[in-house]
Amino acid sequence: MNAMNTLSADLLRARIAQHLTYTMGKDKAHASTYDWRMAVSYTVRDLIVDSWFEATRKTYEEQGKRVYYLSMEFLIGRILEDAVINLGLHEQIEEVLAEDGMSLMDVVENEPDAALGNGGLGRLAACFLESMSTLGCPAFGYGIRYEHGLFRQRFQGGRQVETPEDWLNQPHPWEFERPEACYTVPFKGHVDTRDGKATWHPAETVLARAYDTPVVGWQGKWSNTLRLWGAHPTELFDLERFNSGDHTAAAAPEALARTLSRVLYPEDTTDSGKELRLKQEYFLTSAALQDILRRFLSEYDDLSLLPQKVAIQMNDTHPALAGPELIRLLVDVHGLEWDRAKTIAQGCLNYTNHTLLPEALEKWSTWLMGRVLPRHMQIIERIDAEHHAATDCPPDLRIVHHDQVHMGTLAFVMASHVNGVSALHSDLMKQTVFADLDRAYPGRILNQTNGVTPRRWLKLSNPALSQVITETIGTGWEDDLDRLKELTEHDSPDLRAALRRAKRANKVAFGNWVQANMGLTLDPDAMFDVQIKRVHEYKRQLLNVFETIARWNAIRKNPGADWTPRVKIFGGKAAPGYFTAKEIIRLINDVAKVVNNDPLTRHLLQVVYPANYNVSMAQRLIPAADLSEQISTAGKEASGTGNMKFTMNGALTIGTLDGANVEIREHVGAENFFLFGMTADEVLERYRKPDHARSAIMASQELQDVLQMLAEGRFNPEEPTRYHGLLDHTWNHDPFLVASDFSAFLACQTKVDAAYADTDRWDGMVLRNIAGSGYFSSDRTIRGYMEQVWDAKSLLNR
Ligand code: 26W
């Protein structure tokens, strides 16, 4: 194993004691779990700094090409546990802490999640950073250091209530503040042009200060940097006003500046269109590009070399101002000609699209863009004019039309590579939203199917299964996940039994957590049927709860039948302004209350919805899952990444042919995947049928019974009409075809019951899923980006 884990326990003990005493100023007798966590964190951080410096030095020395991943979100989770696993120090630290009666688990769980993201897009960015380090790809993540990440969710009477998240209310041991890396970001004001040279006179400016976090890769061989920008005022508080007693006004500049990095926007599919969000996007983009150019010019002075040394990835359209901003910096600040500047910018920029949902595609009014970023509005118009001239495109293909700046089109036009995140999604991009642009710029769209890091999502989250894998195929799979294929060669009753034991141990552990935190007792032999993701109509949590009610009805009608006991586990937040999603959450909790207290059925069916689903809860729950619900309306889920994590952890998928489900089914074998529902083409066909919902409901007695119970308020006698809105929405709109896929889903769930009852068949399917999951490592994905998008080389002699 790596050099790191040979680190002696003695040295570790000394280092931890050193930090406890001199960094935390605490002696062991008075140290709290928090003190221990900080001491261990500083100790582990010290061990990463060397590889961090080494990586930086090597990149300068070998004049390597750097990748810059620009993202408004990085859903990191906890950092200490990931660093400990990547350095291979788990056992040693566990041993050292035990001597003082501390457990590594308690220390790790004392760390708040860095919840600087909403869902898939943000978590993907975090997995990508870890894989780029593991592969020795020189890279920087650029994001915003939100003081408040994604809100904390709790349930009040079954309803979601949001409270501010506060990860920075304790010192954060994993960041290095960089006062020297500070850039001025301008806003508003006006532009005047004299003899063809534009000069922007901003009315407001804010300082972007860097906070660096090392991102260590597997075995600590390489570490890259996550640079998060915090907003600071250009001028400190106004002493004059203060002395005149107008304290709030005096503090206004400070407060105004800090709003820029105060809080993460909790929307994950609806473009807020808010001015502050636009300013946040520009704040990130401008600071990042100023930093990129400063670093480049510290090594080279010929800017036309930029595309050879810099690859920039725009994580969706949120950093799409990178195009106009890079041109502004090259033309207005570095004096380049327009054409040269634009060519250089296009040579550096790449754009990943993560959704085709129309409401998620960002469009900024020309009025707002012109007011907040007057110089950029000018540049966007010129880019658009040249785009129009080059493609002779119709008006609706322009970047600017109907007084709106279409950020997807801007990103597409300014990028040399545009990719989707699953094979189906990339095809649908070419057939729908980007069809005309694909024709105008052929060959620009490619696919890079998502992936997840097997370090956090298998090695760290599921030590029981990891041990079975290592005992079966040896080590090395952690950064070469295709090796999991070898498991099939070792298929045997013993191996199947070992996999089953590992799964059961994880289910018992999760059951203990539910007991302790929700007072509910789960049967570890029941099937753990799990749907965890953001709540959104296209992800069809509604279809799942309708099936749950139908299942409850069926059991009540025939309690003596040989039912497969199930625990339906839900997890997920709804955007605070998303009314229907919040209604769905409330319905699930209302159903849970009734079903879990039904003496007739509760040994056969339970519904559990732990509040505040986040990265750490996913790490606890996914290893305990038997069934992974990936039931989105085909054509709506760009990829999904939870689906990949479940497959790696031996959960079987019930799903539609949507996003990466298609490729998961190909890699694990169709016979090991519970497929149901319409394909993306059949969905488009179904939408053409005006009364698609009503006719589907009339064709299913089970669904009619479910909807009748909702109409009567069966789960909410205190307010029987509570779900009449949702009912009407389902009968008359059903925008994501819940009714049309219901019978197929019900039938498929019956197949799942049968499979689960046949333990050897189930175990065989589990083995095939784990063995086929290697492709879904984010290492494979990043290799794809390095070869096909960034033309970046690893500087690690792997
Ligand atoms: C402007 C508001 C907003 C914020 C975030 C709109 C859209 C987003 C994200 C693109 C939404 C998102 O997280 N998309 C998810 O990205 C994952 C990573 O590629 C995919 O696996 C999911 O299918 C996709 O829904």
Side-chain angles (χ1 to χ4, degrees):
M1 269 304 254
N2 71 44
M4 280 299 171
N5 74 347
T6 54
L7 216 68
S8 72
D10 296 349
L11 191 86
L12 271 174
R13 183 181 306 104
R15 295 265 186 102
I16 293 171
Q18 168 98 5
H19 275 299
L20 197 61
T21 312
Y22 298 103
T23 308
M24 299 313 293
K26 285 286 183 71
D27 65 12
K28 288 187 178 176
H30 300 92
S32 64
T33 307
Y34 162 77
D35 297 316
W36 281 102
R37 189 256 297 182
M38 296 298 275
V40 173
S41 300
Y42 286 123
T43 301
V44 173
R45 191 184 81 170
D46 296 349
L47 297 167
I48 292 172
V49 168
D50 304 333
S51 67
W52 198 17
F53 286 2
E54 176 64 16
T56 305
R57 195 187 52 69
K58 200 161 188 190
T59 309
Y60 275 104
E61 195 180 275
E62 302 195 16
Q63 298 201 317
K65 183 170 189 178
R66 291 182 183 85
V67 170
Y68 294 104
Y69 201 83
L70 272 56
S71 180
M72 286 289 281
E73 305 184 19
F74 287 95
L75 197 39
I76 300 163
R78 292 183 174 128
I79 297 174
L80 175 60
E81 57 189 358
D82 181 65
V84 167
I85 284 287
N86 270 319
L87 296 180
L89 295 173
H90 200 279
E91 284 74 34
Q92 284 103 315
I93 295 181
E94 185 88 72
E95 183 198 320
V96 168
L97 288 174
E99 292 154 6
D100 292 293
M102 291 300 295
S103 88
L104 181 54
M105 174 85 93
D106 295 346
V107 162
V108 157
E109 291 185 357
N110 176 269
E111 180 183 338
D113 271 35
L116 307 181
N118 278 286
L121 170 140
R123 181 57 232 177
L124 187 84
C127 282
F128 278 12
L129 286 188
E130 195 269 353
S131 276
M132 288 191 272
S133 291
T134 293
L135 294 172
C137 172
F140 280 74
Y142 280 121
I144 293 182
R145 180 181 181 265
Y146 301 106
E147 281 176 51
H148 305 286
L150 187 61
F151 62 84
R152 213 185 296 283
Q153 175 197 53
R154 59 187 173 79
F155 295 137
Q156 210 159 49
R159 309 173 84 158
Q160 170 180 295
V161 174
E162 303 90 21
T163 52
E165 188 285 328
D166 204 7
W167 72 300
L168 291 175
N169 77 351
Q170 292 171 328
H172 175 31
W174 291 99
E175 68 177 8
F176 292 84
E177 185 166 355
R178 304 294 195 204
E180 77 283 4
C182 193
Y183 299 92
T184 301
V185 178
F187 294 101
K188 299 184 176 167
H190 68 281
V191 179
D192 58 32
T193 308
R194 230 184 303 284
D195 45 27
K197 183 159 176 22
T199 310
W200 180 13
H201 303 282
E204 287 173 23
T205 58
V206 166
L207 290 180
R209 178 179 299 177
Y211 296 77
D212 289 353
T213 294
V215 179
V216 66
W218 176 241
Q219 298 184 322
K221 292 177 181 165
W222 188 274
S223 294
N224 281 322
T225 305
L226 171 58
R227 178 160 277 190
L228 299 178
W229 300 103
H232 292 264
T234 33
E235 79 277 342
L236 273 185
F237 85 104
D238 184 326
L239 196 56
E240 213 163 308
R241 276 177 193 277
F242 189 87
N243 294 341
S244 67
D246 185 348
H247 300 146
T248 34
E254 167 99 21
L256 195 65
R258 285 184 48 193
T259 51
L260 273 185
S261 55
R262 178 93 67 197
V263 65
L264 165 75
Y265 268 82
E267 270 79 30
D268 80 328
T269 49
T270 314
D271 170 11
S272 65
K274 298 273 185 326
E275 175 174 328
L276 178 57
R277 170 72 178 190
L278 176 61
K279 292 176 84 174
Q280 286 186 334
E281 293 183 354
Y282 180 62
F283 174 73
L284 159 65
T285 305
S286 179
L289 287 170
Q290 293 187 58
D291 196 42
I292 291 170
L293 287 181
R294 191 263 316 151
R295 187 174 297 104
F296 173 83
L297 291 169
S298 73
E299 290 180 274
Y300 315 96
D301 46 24
D302 174 2
L303 280 162
S304 52
L305 271 180
L306 204 66
Q308 281 147 52
K309 297 298 178 184
V310 169
I312 298 170
Q313 195 68 32
M314 299 184 281
N315 199 18
D316 216 279
T317 59
H318 314 153
L321 283 166
E325 175 66 358
L326 189 45
I327 290 176
R328 180 185 79 88
L329 293 169
L330 293 175
V331 171
D332 296 3
V333 179
H334 296 278
L336 268 62
E337 286 312 305
W338 170 271
D339 295 341
R340 188 153 163 254
K342 188 175 153 200
T343 309
I344 290 172
Q346 285 173 315
C348 298
L349 292 168
N350 306 288
Y351 157 50
T352 300
N353 173 277
H354 295 267
T355 180
L356 297 176
L357 294 177
E359 67 268 26
L361 301 175
E362 290 187 297
K363 296 177 275 298
W364 294 103
S365 75
T366 50
W367 174 82
L368 185 62
M369 185 68 83
R371 203 167 72 82
V372 174
L373 301 168
R375 179 61 181 134
H376 296 78
M377 193 58 233
Q378 289 180 342
I379 293 171
I380 289 169
E381 271 155 359
R382 184 163 177 184
I383 294 170
D384 193 23
E386 293 179 356
H387 157 58
H388 183 229
T391 63
D392 184 23
C393 59
D396 64 352
L397 202 50
R398 304 279 303 260
I399 298 168
V400 181
H401 72 274
H402 295 331
D403 303 328
Q404 292 195 307
V405 181
H406 291 248
M407 301 309 275
T409 310
L410 172 63
F412 193 108
V413 169
M414 282 306 294
S416 36
H417 301 91
V418 173
N419 75 282
V421 290
S422 76
L424 174 63
H425 172 62
S426 299
D427 288 347
L428 289 175
M429 282 171 66
K430 290 178 182 173
Q431 289 153 24
T432 61
V433 177
F434 295 102
D436 302 328
L437 285 169
D438 182 44
R439 263 191 300 281
Y441 302 95
R444 193 170 286 187
I445 296 180
L446 73 165
N447 178 50
Q448 295 295 339
T449 296
N450 282 164
V452 301
T453 169
R455 273 72 67 182
R456 183 179 289 269
W457 295 109
L458 185 46
K459 182 78 175 176
L460 165 56
S461 301
N462 200 340
L465 174 56
S466 298
Q467 191 175 354
V468 172
I469 294 171
T470 300
E471 282 162 2
T472 308
I473 65 172
T475 58
W477 54 268
E478 295 91 338
D479 63 346
D480 181 7
L481 209 63
D482 287 336
R483 292 209 33 222
L484 292 183
K485 281 195 188 64
E486 298 165 23
L487 288 169
T488 44
E489 290 136 35
H490 294 87
D491 188 0
S492 68
D494 288 355
L495 176 55
R496 292 183 182 207
L499 292 173
R500 178 168 282 274
R501 275 196 306 277
K503 179 60 73 178
R504 194 174 190 289
N506 293 329
K507 293 168 73 172
V508 169
F510 183 72
N512 294 340
W513 183 84
V514 169
Q515 184 69 59
N517 292 274
M518 303 176 76
L520 271 175
T521 308
L522 304 186
D523 164 10
D525 296 315
M527 182 200 304
F528 282 19
D529 169 349
V530 181
Q531 186 175 24
I532 45 177
K533 51 189 72 227
R534 286 293 295 250
V535 177
H536 195 287
E537 289 168 85
Y538 85 81
K539 294 173 186 283
R540 299 203 290 192
Q541 283 89 355
L542 196 58
L543 176 60
N544 195 346
V545 71
F546 283 177
E547 190 270 340
T548 304
I549 297 168
R551 175 175 293 272
W552 184 53
N553 285 343
I555 295 172
R556 287 174 62 80
K557 283 202 192 91
N558 187 359
D562 147 28
W563 293 101
T564 296
R566 279 207 195 197
V567 179
K568 283 269 185 183
I569 303 169
F570 291 86
K573 295 172 179 176
Y578 192 171
F579 178 77
T580 306
K582 290 180 135 176
E583 287 294 281
I584 293 168
I585 292 176
R586 191 177 190 189
L587 173 60
I588 297 168
N589 283 323
D590 277 348
V591 169
K593 207 171 54 228
V594 172
V595 169
N596 293 345
N597 296 301
D598 178 352
L600 198 56
T601 64
R602 63 168 163 238
H603 62 295
L604 292 171
L605 180 61
Q606 287 179 292
V607 180
V608 181
Y609 199 150
N612 204 39
Y613 170 68
N614 59 14
V615 170
S616 292
M617 188 190 293
Q619 288 175 213
R620 191 190 294 282
L621 181 41
I622 290 172
D626 295 303
L627 188 66
S628 157
E629 297 271 355
Q630 308 298 334
I631 61 175
S632 53
T633 314
K636 303 298 181 187
E637 188 70 86
S639 162
T641 45
N643 46 8
M644 299 166 183
K645 296 161 188 169
F646 280 109
T647 304
M648 254 171 222
N649 282 276
L652 304 185
T653 303
I654 182 166
T656 52
L657 277 179
D658 195 17
N661 293 357
V662 176
E663 291 154 86
I664 290 173
R665 184 166 170 267
E666 284 161 7
H667 281 85
V668 305
E671 70 284 4
N672 301 309
F673 186 102
F674 297 105
L675 179 68
F676 80 96
M678 291 175 281
T679 63
D681 294 343
E682 288 164 344
V683 163
L684 292 178
E685 191 55 40
R686 186 72 180 173
Y687 276 135
R688 271 192 269 279
K689 187 177 167 41
D691 63 340
H692 55 75
R694 187 167 297 279
S695 57
I697 295 167
M698 297 321 289
S700 163
Q701 188 54 49
E702 292 90 349
L703 184 50
Q704 282 176 49
D705 297 348
V706 167
L707 300 181
Q708 186 50 33
M709 293 168 87
L710 290 187
E712 294 158 1
R714 183 70 180 77
F715 305 102
N716 40 284
E718 70 279 11
E719 185 199 358
T721 64
R722 177 177 295 164
Y723 296 111
H724 284 195
L726 208 51
L727 268 176
D728 172 71
H729 190 57
T730 303
W731 274 96
N732 303 312
H733 302 289
D734 194 14
F736 296 99
L737 307 177
V738 167
S740 301
D741 263 344
F742 182 79
S743 301
F745 186 51
L746 210 59
C748 194
Q749 289 285 19
T750 308
K751 287 198 203 120
V752 174
D753 285 330
Y756 190 75
D758 175 349
T759 52
D760 189 52
R761 176 172 167 232
W762 188 272
D763 292 349
M765 295 172 79
V766 166
L767 177 61
R768 294 291 175 293
N769 271 262
I770 299 170
S773 68
Y775 179 79
F776 301 100
S777 165
S778 45
D779 298 350
R780 182 270 312 154
T781 311
I782 291 298
R783 280 199 199 90
Y785 278 94
M786 289 171 73
E787 285 145 24
Q788 296 152 36
V789 178
W790 303 329
D791 181 25
K793 301 277 175 299
S794 165
L795 293 189
L796 258 182
N797 42 23
R798 293 176 54 74

